[in-house]
Amino acid sequence: MRKIHLLSIVLILFIFSCKKENERKTIVIQEDPSIIQDQYGRQLILHGLNTSSSAKSDSERLPWIVEHDVDKEDKEFGFNFVRYLIFWDGIEPQKGVFDEEYLDKVEERVNWYTSRGMQVMLDMHQDLYSIVFGGDGAPEWACRTNGTAPIEIPGGTPWWMKNIDPAVINSWVNFWTYSGSNKDLQEHYILMWQKVAERFKNNPNVIGYDLMNEPWGGDLIKVFITGEFERYQLTAFYKRLIPAMRAVEPNKYLFFEPTPAPVTFGMPSNLTKISDTRSSSKTVYAPHCYPYDTHEGMGYTATSKSQLKDWERERTKEIKLHGNVPLLTGEFGLSPAQAGFADYLTDFNAMSDRNQWHWAYWSNDLGGWGPLNPNRTETAILPHLIRTYPKATAGKIKSFSYDVNSKIFTMTFTSNTAISKPTEIFVPNRFYTSGWDLSVAGTTKYTQTTDAIKQTLLFSTTDNNKEITITITPK
């Protein structure tokens, strides 16, 4: 009996110790709707380019890049993200007919990014509704102009003025109507998106989908005067599209945009709250930022500076309205020939850092506003896009900043040791020609290594739930 009693005690102690060990190991990696996380639970800060404007007019709707260009974005420039343009007319050129060959070519290029660990957001791009009107986006069969022929606008007129073309207006109005003989337009748009989501659902580095680039209302009164377009039609569109996407893809991020103007200039949006159908939201607000004077080539003027401040204020309000969701600036940019371009990029990046906002620069095309010249040498834009930043954090960031003059980077975060991958900080060699020093406060239990190829600091700690501050300074 005594042996049985001792055996029982040992068994109980063994079970108890196993339970305690399991409790110790099961530190939960929770989904946090206020940040963007990778497949390992790390908080991401996404920096990258739009790829690319050239695809709008390409006969195959594909960007100019080859794989070597992606390799440079990853290793030399330190980008961890791409906003990759795709097009409705490439996916569904005839009604109900889906072009798998186009999606094959898209997938090939997407894999150039994801095989390197970069995150891809697929952007369903449009401008002026369709290439039929000199823009891009919808296939010809989805252009319902009520018999109105497109008009020509005078040379030198801004491209966006084509939005007053009655044929463009009628096409948009019919798309948003969602009733009667026009109901099929949104239904096919949704079906087309489901085809894309089905294709990419098993690639964990395809992080999500931008549901429509710069959705435009067509009816100028509803866009600019009453706000009815965003408040009713665009909101209703998202409320139809998001559940349909979740039926195919329950886990990726869904990026949603307000109307471009006047939001891009710093004015408020009229969207009502956009909600996810998941229990833990994975939606991201994705407005564009183009102060009017910088967009139209007049430089970073006092008006532009004021509009950038307005933009930050209004977007801060709107992310709270939508449930404290993350924000990604899907587009921003300007010509390097403009006065004050460097100051604009410095101010934009400082705003993004202090709010932990993500961005994709418009765009990666060679020349013009791009970071590279036609011969692939750097323009004056690129050095302002390359910066020290936390690509992925094993925990939650409290704050981070990078000073472009001193090259000092500081980051404070709360650690989560349940995350198996290290914190990754991009530290570009070009700004630390004599090397850099790392100082750490909040823990002594850490290891640091570097990935020389990707110019990345890898930081790990065994201290859980500790507030840790990392500072990088040039030697």
Side-chain angles (χ1 to χ4, degrees), residues 178 186-198 201 209 211 236-252 254 275-278:
Y178 196 67
Q186 286 192 39
E187 289 176 341
H188 272 268
Y189 191 91
I190 291 170
L191 180 60
M192 175 266 305
W193 251 130
Q194 288 178 320
K195 293 285 186 182
V196 174
E198 184 66 39
K201 67 185 301 181
Y209 308 111
L211 300 177
F237 169 72
Y238 286 139
K239 288 182 177 179
R240 283 188 284 271
L241 178 52
I242 289 173
M245 290 293 283
R246 288 297 179 219
V248 176
E249 175 43 73
N251 295 316
K252 295 188 186 298
L254 300 181
S275 299
D276 205 342
T277 55
R278 315 174 83 243

Side-chain angles (χ1 to χ4, degrees), residues 98-154:
F98 299 95
D99 190 338
E100 298 293 341
E101 185 178 351
Y102 170 69
L103 291 175
D104 288 342
K105 292 176 180 179
V106 169
E107 186 170 17
E108 177 188 16
R109 286 153 181 79
V110 164
N111 288 342
W112 294 346
Y113 293 93
T114 62
S115 64
R116 290 166 169 80
M118 298 176 72
Q119 305 293 333
V120 176
M121 180 255 275
L122 294 173
D123 158 48
M124 195 65 67
H125 210 82
Q126 73 76 32
D127 299 283
L128 305 175
Y129 192 76
S130 172
I131 199 170
V132 171
F133 310 121
D136 54 273
E140 186 173 2
W141 65 262
C143 298
R144 298 184 183 167
T145 66
N146 301 342
T148 304
I151 63 173
E152 295 295 326
I153 60 174

